[in-house]
């Protein structure tokens, strides 16, 4: 592909980077849908586990991923409205997951779902920022799952 072809779709390097981050988020949502929301016969614990493995960055085989340095560029590559849109799409993904969990011991308040989303997504972004190694990332994901389960039991 010629560099000039890229500029037909992306007017600048920052626009290209922004497009790639957007693509990564879209693929993450798609993978969570496929693994945790759409399968018909999963227990709620399995749905939660599968989603958290992807959101926390433990299971990312075949998924696009961006370098943590892109987080440093975020203020210049993503307008606030785009960040809000990504937040809303990820938040809705959490709500779809819990809607699919028909075997939960009790209903989950929307405010609880929103808080869990912010806790996990904020933690993942910070883990990327500090370059958490694979072992520490897996340990953190395990603790996030325990936290989420405790909020739901």
């Amino acid at each position: 592909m010629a560099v000039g072809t890229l500029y037909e779709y992306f007017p600048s390097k920052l626009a290209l980077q922004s497009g790639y981050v957007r693509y990564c988020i879209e693929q993450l949502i798609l993978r969570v849908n496929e693994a945790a929301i759409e399968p018909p016969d999963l227990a709620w614990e399995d749905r939660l586990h599968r989603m958290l493995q992807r959101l926390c960055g433990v299971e990312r085989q075949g998924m696009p991923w961006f370098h943590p340095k892109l987080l440093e560029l975020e203020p210049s590559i993503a307008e606030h409205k785009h960040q809000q849109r990504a937040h809303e799409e990820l938040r809705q993904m959490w709500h779809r997951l819990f809607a699919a969990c028909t075997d939960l011991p009790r209903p989950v308040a929307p405010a609880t779902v929103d808080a869990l989303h912010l806790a996990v997504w904020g933690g993942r972004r910070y883990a990327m920022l500090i370059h958490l190694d694979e072992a520490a990332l897996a340990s953190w994901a395990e603790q996030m799952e325990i936290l989420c389960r405790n909020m739901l039991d």
Side-chain angles (χ1 to χ4, degrees):
M1 177 182 292
V3 173
T5 304
L6 282 176
Y7 285 107
E8 288 181 32
Y9 299 99
F10 302 99
S12 68
K13 182 178 174 181
L14 289 178
L16 177 62
Q17 291 168 330
S18 178
Y20 185 69
V21 169
R22 177 78 193 141
Y23 173 73
C24 289
I25 291 172
E26 288 171 354
Q27 288 299 303
L28 176 62
I29 292 170
L30 177 70
R31 298 298 170 88
V32 168
N33 282 336
E34 292 172 350
I37 297 172
E38 293 172 1
D41 297 324
L42 288 179
W44 73 266
E45 297 94 340
D46 294 329
R47 290 183 192 280
L48 182 66
H49 175 76
R50 288 177 175 200
M51 179 175 73
L52 289 173
Q53 289 295 292
R54 284 149 186 85
L55 288 180
C56 292
V58 175
E59 174 58 51
R60 57 182 188 256
Q61 184 177 3
M63 289 174 48
W65 209 247
F66 54 86
H67 194 276
K69 293 267 185 204
L70 278 176
L71 287 176
E72 296 171 17
L73 296 173
E74 190 173 41
S76 60
I77 65 174
E79 295 177 34
H80 180 70
K81 67 181 180 182
H82 299 301
Q83 292 172 338
Q84 285 293 111
R85 184 180 71 204
H87 161 72
E88 183 58 26
E89 290 172 1
L90 290 163
R91 189 180 78 79
Q92 288 301 321
M93 178 189 65
W94 276 81
H95 284 274
R96 285 192 311 276
L97 179 102
F98 285 111
C101 294
T102 57
D103 59 336
L104 276 167
R106 60 183 166 80
V108 182
T112 300
V113 177
D114 292 347
L116 292 174
H117 154 59
L118 286 175
V120 171
W121 190 247
R124 177 64 186 133
R125 289 171 51 85
Y126 192 71
M128 287 178 61
L129 195 62
I130 62 171
H131 304 274
L132 211 56
D133 66 42
E134 294 296 319
L137 192 65
S139 176
W140 168 71
E142 182 180 323
Q143 293 304 309
M144 289 307 300
E145 187 168 344
I146 290 169
L147 179 113
C148 289
R149 284 176 181 238
N150 287 339
M151 292 292 295
L152 302 172
D153 279 337

